[in-house]
Amino acid sequence: MTSSLKRKEESHLLNGGVKQSTWSKAFNSTAVWEEKDEFLDVIYWLRQIIAVILGVIWGVAPLKGFLGIAIFCIINAGVLYVYFSSFQQIDEEEYGGTWELTKEGFMTSFALFLVVWIIFYTALHFD
């Protein structure tokens, strides 16, 4: 029996058949993701949150250029990789592999990061 099936059985026994909210499952390492899209939505929105936070930090600390973009990409991909592989311990192959999960929502979070970074940097560091 795979670990995913064991976790589903344990969840049904512990949870008593009551459905958990998506965000409570997102921060619970023993959560069972019955719907593929539900977990992908969590990945997508966590990326957006990371993008806003890093955009504000990069704008307040006058970080510029390629270095800021490269550090954002590394942090964004790295945090989400650790989240789905170590914290949630999901089977990446169920979702199309590690690369599919790593790039889920990446470009929209990159665009949001750039907008927030530019707004904060311009507001604080230009006369």
Side-chain angles (χ1 to χ4, degrees):
M1 185 180 292
T2 65
S3 64
S4 177
L5 291 174
K6 285 181 187 176
R7 285 174 49 186
K8 283 183 183 180
E9 288 177 6
E10 290 172 3
S11 174
H12 287 297
L13 294 175
L14 295 174
N15 203 10
V18 177
K19 184 168 172 55
Q20 288 181 313
S21 73
T22 302
W23 285 109
S24 66
K25 289 197 300 189
F27 297 109
N28 182 357
S29 65
T30 60
V32 177
W33 298 95
E34 295 168 2
E35 293 184 33
K36 178 180 176 181
D37 288 338
E38 189 177 29
F39 184 68
L40 293 176
D41 287 345
V42 168
I43 294 288
Y44 177 87
W45 287 108
L46 284 176
R47 278 196 192 279
Q48 307 318 308
I49 293 167
I50 291 170
V52 169
I53 292 169
L54 292 179
V56 170
I57 292 170
W58 270 226
V60 171
L63 198 57
K64 295 190 232 179
F66 179 75
L67 181 65
I69 293 172
I71 294 172
F72 166 77
C73 292
I74 291 168
I75 290 174
N76 193 328
V79 167
L80 268 295
Y81 178 77
V82 168
Y83 174 75
F84 68 73
S85 67
S86 296
F87 182 71
Q88 286 292 335
Q89 297 178 350
I90 57 121
D91 180 19
E92 291 98 354
E93 295 307 317
E94 290 181 24
Y95 296 90
T98 303
W99 180 246
E100 289 299 318
L101 286 170
T102 303
K103 70 179 188 172
E104 176 69 27
F106 182 80
M107 289 309 292
T108 53
S109 72
F110 182 67
L112 179 61
F113 162 74
L114 288 176
V115 168
V116 172
W117 184 20
I118 291 167
I119 288 172
F120 273 80
Y121 186 88
T122 303
L124 296 175
H125 302 289
F126 278 121
D127 295 330

